[in-house]
C-alpha cells in the first residue's frame, strides 16, 4: 500500500522542485484560506478524536494537546501565512567558480525530494510540517499519532483540496491514515522514494527508526541537558538562569535535568539553591557529596540514582551533583548527556572557552539558559525538528535543513584531461 | 571486541578535537616521514599479502591494485604531506550574530568525532583516509579488504608509532585486523561511538550498510551515468565528450553507461557514433529504435536488455537508446539512474536549464563529460568518497564533509523570555 504512496510522492516532488517561490507561496496561502473556510470539517473530526480519547482515559494534559478550537485552528492558518514570509532557500547558489580545467562549476540548493515525518499527538504538526515541506519544494508523507487520525485525515484533505485548486498534485502532501503500526515499519523501508525521515517523538520512536530504517533518519529531540556552575559562578544571576532552564517549560527537551556544581562553592551555593528551588516547588535529587548541603535546606531532597542521570525528568525535578572540577564536569556530560544543550555558568574566560571546545553538544552555552535551543529563538524563522545527531543538520533545523544541493557543471563540450 | 575499540576511538577523538591545525599537521608530517623510514615493514607485509593473493588466483588487475612498490609507497607519503597544505575547516565560524533576545550566537565547524570506513582492496586508502580524518580532528576505525589485511595492519602500526611520537593517542587510527565478516556487522551497530560510516565498495556493501547500520551511513560510488544528446546536438564535439565519458577510465563510477539520443538526430548521429565507437573498441547495446541505425555500422552492436540500463558496465560497453524528446530522456534517467552524474549535450539554452533543474543527480552537466565528478577535479583538494545520497554531503566529499557544526551561545546570565 505504501509503495504507491511513495511513488506518487516522488512524482509530485518532481513538480514541486521546479516551482517558483511565488507559486509555492500562492499554494501556501490557498491552504491557509481553506483551513479557515473549512474549519468546521476539521473541528468535527477533532471532536470525534477527542470523544475517543476521553473514552480511552487519556490524561487532561494529553487531551489538551489533542484539542483543536476555532482559535487554535485560526492560529495554525496564520502560521502558514507566516511561512510564506520566510525566504525560500531553494535555488540559492551556495558557491561556484570557473575551475582551471575549464568547468564553470556551481553548487545550487535544491529540495530533498520526499520527506517522511512520524509524529505523535499534536494535530498542529500536520499543517506545520506540510507548510515547511511545500515551501522548500518537498513532497511529504505524514504519519501522525493514532489519537488524532481523524483530525489529521480531515486536515490533509483540506490541504489536498487547496493544492488541487492551484493545479498542484494532491500527492504532494499525503497522510498514512491507517493507524496500524506495521505501516510505520513499511514506511521505514521506503528508501526508493523517501529521501529523509524525521521522527518526532520519544526515545522509543527514535530507536525504532535508527534500528530499522533504510532511509537516512534525523534523530533528536531527547535532551538530558546540563548546567555546570564552576568555582567562579556568580550566585544570584546563576540561580535565575537555572530557574529559567528548569521551570520555564519543564516538559521541553531543552530544559535542565542535571546541575553540576564545583566543590569549592558547593556549601554556599547549594544552600542558596535549596531556598530558591523550594520557592519554585522543585524536588532535588542529590548525589552523596551534595546531600550534606541540601538535606537540611527547605527544598525537597532525595538521593539521586544513577539512572536519573541518564533520563529526562520533564518535570519539576532536578539532579544535583558536586564535582571536583572542570574535567569531572565535562566527563559527566560526555557520559550522560544526549548532545542536546549544555551550559556553563562561570566568570572565567578560560573555562568558558574550554567548555565550548570540549563539550560536544548541538548547542553549548556560556552564561545562558539551555532553553534557547529552538528554531524561533535562534532566528531560523521555523523549526522542523531539533537534531542531536551530527550528519546533515545539528540542533534546531530550519528551512535549509529541508534542502540538499546539486553540483552543476557547464562546459563548452568539455572533456576531462 | 569492537566495543573497546569504539570506546578508545571516542576517547581519542576528544583529544583530537581540541588540537590546533599546526599540531595536526605536525602529526601528519611525522606519519609521512615514518612511512618513508619504515617502508620495508610495509612492503614486507604487502609481499605476504601478494603471495596469498596469487595463490588464491586473483586476476592480474586485482593483483596490481593490491601491490605496493617503493615508488607507490613514497607517493602515498607525499600525498600525506599534500594534506598538510590543505586548509583545516575545523574552528571556522560558519555564521553568527547577536540576536534580539540578547544571545550572541555562532555556528562553529567541529569534527564529527569517530568515522568508520569500510573499504576493499587498495592499500593506499588506509593512509589516505587516516590522513584526512586526522586533518579534521576525527578518530577513525578502518576495516580494509581481506586481501590486504597484513599490509593494512603494518601500515596502521607505522601510523600509530608516529602518533605516539607526537604524544597523540594511537587509538586515533585503528584497524580491524581480523578479516572475519561478522565484525563488519558488529561495526555497523557501534552507534554509541561511531558518528559516521563510509562504505567504499560495491553495491552489495552499500546495501548491507544501509539495511543494517544503526550509524548514519554515506552511500554512493555507484554510477549509472547518462548523456542525453538532444535534437540540437553538435555532432563532432559531442562525440569527443561521449568518448571521454566512456573510455577515459571505464572502471570509474563517473563513466558513461547509457547514451540517450533524440529521435530527430538519431539516424545521422548514430551512424557517426558507430564509426567513432568502433575505432575505440566500444560495444554498443542498442534498443529497438536505435538498432536500425547501428546494425549496419562498423561498431559491434547487440540488443540491450532492460537490466543493462540499471547496472554499471565498468567496461567498453555502452547502452544506446533513442528517445522521443526531452521528457522521455529525463524520465529514463529518473527511472534508471543512481543520482550520480548525468549530462546533456545541447545547443539549446532552454533545454540546458530544464535539464539542470529537472535531473536530480549529485552532479549535472551541460556540454561536459560526466568524468568531472571528482574531488580533485572540483578543486576540493581531497576526496573522502563520492556521495549519491542527499543528506549531509552530496557528490565528491572534501574535508568539510568530515565535519559538523555546533551552535555556541554566549550570554550575560541570560534567560529565555
Amino acid at each position: 500500500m505504501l509503495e504507491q504512496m511513495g511513488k506518487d510522492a516522488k512524482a509530485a516532488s518532481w513538480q514541486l522542485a521546479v516551482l517558483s517561490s511565488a507559486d509555492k507561496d500562492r499554494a501556501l496561502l490557498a491552504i491557509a484560506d481553506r483551513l479557515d473556510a473549512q474549519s468546521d470539517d476539521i473541528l468535527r473530526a477533532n471532536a470525534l478524536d477527542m470523544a475517543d480519547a476521553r473514552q480511552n482515559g487519556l490524561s487532561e494534559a494529553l487531551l489538551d494537546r489533542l484539542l483543536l478550537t476555532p482559535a487554535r485552528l485560526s492560529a495554525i492558518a496564520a502560521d502558514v501565512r507566516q511561512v510564506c514570509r520566510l525566504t525560500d532557500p531553494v535555488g540559492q547558489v551556495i558557491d561556484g567558480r570557473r575551475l582551471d580545467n575549464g568547468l564553470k562549476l556551481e553548487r545550487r540548493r535544491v529540495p530533498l525530494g520526499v520527506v517522511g515525518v512520524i509524529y505523535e499527538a499534536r494535530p498542529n504538526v500536520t499543517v506545520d510540517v506540510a507548510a515547511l515541506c511545500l515551501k522548500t519544494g518537498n513532497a511529504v508523507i505524514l504519519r501522525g499519532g493514532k489519537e488524532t487520525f481523524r483530525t489529521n485525515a480531515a486536515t490533509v484533505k483540506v490541504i489536498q483540496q487547496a493544492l488541487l485548486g492551484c493545479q498542484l498534485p494532491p500527492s504532494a502532501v499525503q497522510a498514512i491514515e491507517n493507524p496500524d503500526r506495521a505501516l510505520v515499519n513499511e514506511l521505514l523501508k521506503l528508501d526508493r522514494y523517501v529521501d529523509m525521515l524525521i521522527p518526532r517523538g520519544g526515545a522509543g520512536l527514535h530507536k525504532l527508526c535508527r534500528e530499522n530504517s533504510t532511509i537516512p533518519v534525523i534523530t533528536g529531540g531527547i535532551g538530558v541537558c546540563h548546567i555546570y556552575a564552576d568555582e567562579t559562578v556568580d550566585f544570584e544571576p546563576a540561580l535565575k538562569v537555572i530557574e529559567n532552564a528548569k521551570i520555564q517549560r519543564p516538559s521541553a527537551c531543552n530544559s535542565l535535568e542535571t546541575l553540576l556544581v564545583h566543590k569549592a562553592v558547593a556549601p554556599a551555593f547549594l544552600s542558596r539553591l535549596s531556598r530558591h528551588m523550594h520557592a519554585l516547588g522543585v524536588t532535588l535529587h542529590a548525589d552523596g557529596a551534595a546531600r550534606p548541603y541540601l538535606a537540611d535546606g527547605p527544598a525537597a531532597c532525595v538521593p539521586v540514582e544513577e539512572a536519573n542521570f541518564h533520563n529526562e525528568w520533564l518535570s519539576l525535578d532536578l539532579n544535583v551533583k558536586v564535582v571536583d572540577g572542570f574535567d569531572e564536569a565535562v566527563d559527566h556530560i560526555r557520559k550522560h548527556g544526549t548532545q542536546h544543550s549544555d551550559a556553563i555558568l562561570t566568570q572565567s574566560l578560560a573555562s568558558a572557552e574550554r567548555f565550548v571546545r570540549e563539550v560536544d553538544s548541538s548547542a553549548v552555552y556560556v552564561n545562558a539558559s539551555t532553553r534557547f535551543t529552538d528554531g524561533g529563538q535562534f532566528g531560523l524563522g521555523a523549526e522542523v525538528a531539533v537534531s542531536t545527531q551530527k550528519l546533515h543538520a545539528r540542533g534546531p533545523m530550519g528551512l535549509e535543513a529541508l534542502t540538499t544541493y546539486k553540483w552543476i557543471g557547464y562546459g563548452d563540450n568539455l572533456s576531462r584531461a
Side-chain angles (χ1 to χ4, degrees), chain A:
Chain A
M1 168 199 162
L2 292 196
E3 175 86 11
Q4 190 58 46
M5 205 174 224
K7 212 175 272 188
D8 293 345
K10 188 54 101 181
S13 79
W14 304 126
Q15 287 191 57
L16 297 177
V18 298
L19 291 181
S20 68
S21 299
D23 283 339
K24 291 186 282 189
D25 287 344
R26 231 183 325 269
L28 290 173
L29 286 180
I31 289 170
D33 290 347
R34 230 174 231 273
L35 285 172
D36 282 335
Q38 291 178 226
S39 59
D40 284 352
D41 300 353
I42 298 171
L43 292 172
R44 214 173 301 125
N46 186 248
L48 295 174
D49 280 336
M50 288 296 291
D52 275 7
R54 269 196 204 92
Q55 202 153 15
N56 293 332
L58 266 66
S59 69
E60 280 305 315
L62 258 180
L63 288 174
D64 187 60
R65 286 180 63 179
L66 305 186
L67 178 68
L68 282 182
T69 62
R72 285 184 183 184
L73 196 49
S74 141
I76 290 172
D79 283 346
V80 175
R81 292 190 183 95
Q82 185 55 40
V83 171
C84 291
R85 285 188 278 274
L86 300 176
T87 305
D88 178 5
V90 170
Q92 182 203 341
V93 176
I94 301 172
D95 45 32
R97 62 197 178 94
R98 182 176 292 274
L99 299 167
D100 290 342
N101 57 22
L103 197 68
K104 209 188 103 207
L105 185 71
E106 66 178 46
R107 228 168 14 139
R108 200 184 289 180
R109 209 170 272 295
V110 297
L112 281 169
V114 179
V115 178
V117 183
I118 305 174
Y119 55 105
E120 292 164 358
R122 291 179 197 276
N124 64 306
V125 173
T126 308
V127 178
D128 196 26
V129 165
L132 297 173
C133 285
L134 288 174
K135 176 80 185 185
T136 45
N138 292 291
V140 63
I141 297 178
L142 300 159
R143 201 281 186 183
K146 70 174 183 325
E147 296 82 3
T148 49
F149 264 89
R150 275 173 292 209
T151 311
N152 292 339
T155 308
V156 167
K157 202 171 157 199
V158 168
I159 293 174
Q160 291 182 331
Q161 287 167 345
L163 289 168
L164 267 174
C166 301
Q167 276 79 51
L168 290 175
S171 45
V173 178
Q174 298 176 84
I176 301 175
E177 294 182 6
N178 182 335
D180 184 356
R181 278 200 73 115
L183 291 177
V184 172
N185 281 304
E186 212 181 305
L187 175 59
L188 299 184
K189 308 287 186 200
L190 227 53
D191 56 87
R192 270 192 67 195
Y193 307 109
V194 182
D195 296 289
M196 174 165 87
L197 199 70
I198 307 179
R200 286 178 53 160
L205 176 63
H206 283 87
K207 189 165 179 289
L208 177 83
C209 291
R210 200 165 48 239
E211 291 181 355
N212 296 289
S213 177
T214 55
I215 304 164
V217 178
I218 297 287
T219 52
I222 315 292
V224 176
C225 302
H226 301 79
I227 288 183
Y228 170 44
D230 85 352
E231 70 275 27
T232 68
V233 64
D234 192 2
F235 285 17
E236 293 312 312
L239 288 166
K240 293 222 174 64
V241 172
I242 293 165
E243 170 184 334
N244 182 262
K246 181 66 247 180
I247 74 148
Q248 199 205 24
R249 198 169 145 215
S251 65
C253 58
N254 55 15
S255 289
L256 177 66
E257 307 297 358
T258 298
L259 176 67
L260 304 168
V261 180
H262 191 285
K263 65 176 178 190
V265 292
F269 187 69
L270 291 182
S271 108
R272 280 292 296 112
L273 180 81
S274 181
R275 282 207 299 276
H276 202 100
M277 292 297 131
H278 173 64
L280 303 168
V282 174
T283 299
L284 303 173
H285 299 255
D287 81 329
R291 261 201 314 281
Y293 313 117
L294 293 170
D296 298 333
C301 178
V302 296
V304 70
E305 285 163 37
E306 173 62 19
N308 299 148
F309 286 128
H310 286 282
N311 292 306
E312 297 179 283
W313 281 116
L314 304 174
S315 58
L316 291 177
D317 292 84
L318 177 65
N319 305 319
V320 182
K321 180 187 165 87
V322 171
V323 294
D324 282 344
F326 187 92
D327 288 339
E328 194 186 344
V330 169
D331 198 51
H332 179 94
I333 294 172
R334 285 177 180 168
K335 283 213 182 90
H336 303 88
T338 52
Q339 305 189 310
H340 192 298
S341 303
D342 299 290
I344 186 171
L345 303 177
T346 183
Q347 297 190 73
S348 156
L349 184 59
S351 298
E353 280 311 305
R354 267 193 75 192
F355 192 84
V356 157
R357 275 192 303 151
E358 297 187 18
V359 172
D360 183 32
S361 299
S362 301
V364 185
Y365 296 96
V366 174
N367 297 327
S369 168
T370 53
R371 287 278 296 135
F372 281 108
T373 307
D374 172 90
Q377 292 291 320
F378 278 12
L380 301 183
E383 181 179 287
V384 185
V386 175
S387 156
T388 55
Q389 58 159 42
K390 294 179 175 176
L391 262 59
H392 189 62
R394 207 174 180 205
M397 294 165 64
L399 289 178
E400 216 179 87
L402 289 173
T403 67
T404 180
Y405 54 80
K406 67 168 74 153
W407 298 89
I408 303 172
Y410 296 93
D412 179 17
N413 294 303
L414 200 64
S415 290
R416 176 169 170 181

